[in-house]
């Protein structure tokens, strides 16, 4: 049984170590064995500790909530997968206009209804290199992610 966890919708005033422990206890009691952790939100930024160029961090990122969630979940034999929106990145979109996905008319493409708030162009080699580096940096810093 799996659960999706989006930190941007979950704040109860608890410090990250305690929040992670309480969540992992609840998930274990409910029979959850897999957590899809929303590691990056295009609007709110990273919910993990990062120094990668163009990344912005939310409070949970600065306090490294993901580290605690991984530790607490793994102690209970719960796997943790990273949920990342592919090529949809607010920090990069705002910093690099030339990386933005465009419409046929040459305007910036955005589709709020599908969650594509900050789509980067997958045909732009520089944007793709940056995105691949984003993923490599994430995996280097979180080798225990399942």
């Amino acid at each position: 049984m799996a659960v999706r966890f989006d930190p941007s919708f979950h704040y109860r005033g608890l410090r990250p170590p305690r929040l992670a422990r309480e969540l992992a206890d609840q998930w274990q009691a409910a029979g959850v064995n897999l957590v899809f952790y929303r590691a990056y939100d295009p609007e709110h930024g990273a919910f993990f500790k990062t120094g990668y160029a163009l990344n912005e961090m939310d409070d949970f990122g600065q306090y490294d909530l993901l580290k605690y969630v991984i530790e607490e979940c793994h102690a209970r034999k719960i796997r943790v997968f990273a949920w990342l929106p592919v090529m949809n990145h607010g920090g990069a979109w705002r910093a690099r206009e030339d990386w933005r996905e465009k419409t046929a008319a040459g305007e910036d493409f955005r589709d709020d209804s599908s969650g594509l708030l900050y789509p980067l162009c997958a045909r732009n080699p520089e944007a793709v290199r940056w995105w691949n580096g984003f993923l490599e940096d994430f995996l280097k810093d979180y080798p225990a992610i399942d």
Side-chain angles (χ1 to χ4, degrees):
M1 183 183 320
V3 65
R4 293 184 308 171
F5 174 66
D6 183 346
S8 64
F9 290 107
H10 196 88
Y11 181 75
R12 296 184 302 180
L14 301 177
R15 303 284 296 169
R18 183 172 171 200
L19 176 60
R21 186 172 51 256
E22 288 187 11
L23 289 169
D25 284 344
Q26 290 171 14
W27 294 330
Q28 183 181 39
V32 169
N33 62 8
L34 172 62
V35 173
F36 288 94
Y37 180 98
R38 187 162 197 187
Y40 181 84
D41 179 275
E43 189 69 31
H44 300 286
F47 299 124
F48 61 94
K49 193 92 164 160
T50 179
Y52 191 68
L54 308 181
N55 266 340
E56 300 160 347
M57 280 185 293
D58 142 286
D59 288 345
F60 283 135
Q62 293 180 21
Y63 292 110
D64 208 0
L65 176 61
L66 178 55
K67 176 183 89 169
Y68 298 109
V69 168
I70 292 171
E71 288 172 359
E72 294 293 340
C73 285
H74 283 180
R76 292 161 182 79
K77 305 218 181 314
I78 300 171
R79 294 177 299 156
V80 180
F81 286 6
W83 167 14
L84 296 163
V86 178
M87 297 290 287
N88 188 13
H89 193 283
W93 194 90
R94 284 186 286 277
R96 296 294 306 262
E97 289 185 32
D98 57 319
W99 290 3
R100 295 176 183 177
E101 185 66 41
K102 301 291 184 185
T103 66
E107 301 294 322
D108 291 340
F109 173 80
R110 293 178 80 172
D111 184 7
D112 294 346
S113 66
S114 68
L116 283 173
L117 301 174
Y118 304 102
L120 304 177
C121 180
R123 293 176 310 281
N124 182 312
E126 199 175 343
V128 170
R129 268 192 302 280
W130 177 86
W131 182 259
N132 287 336
F134 168 79
L135 296 175
E136 289 171 7
D137 187 69
F138 177 81
L139 293 171
K140 175 184 63 69
D141 290 344
Y142 294 93
I145 198 84
D146 295 293

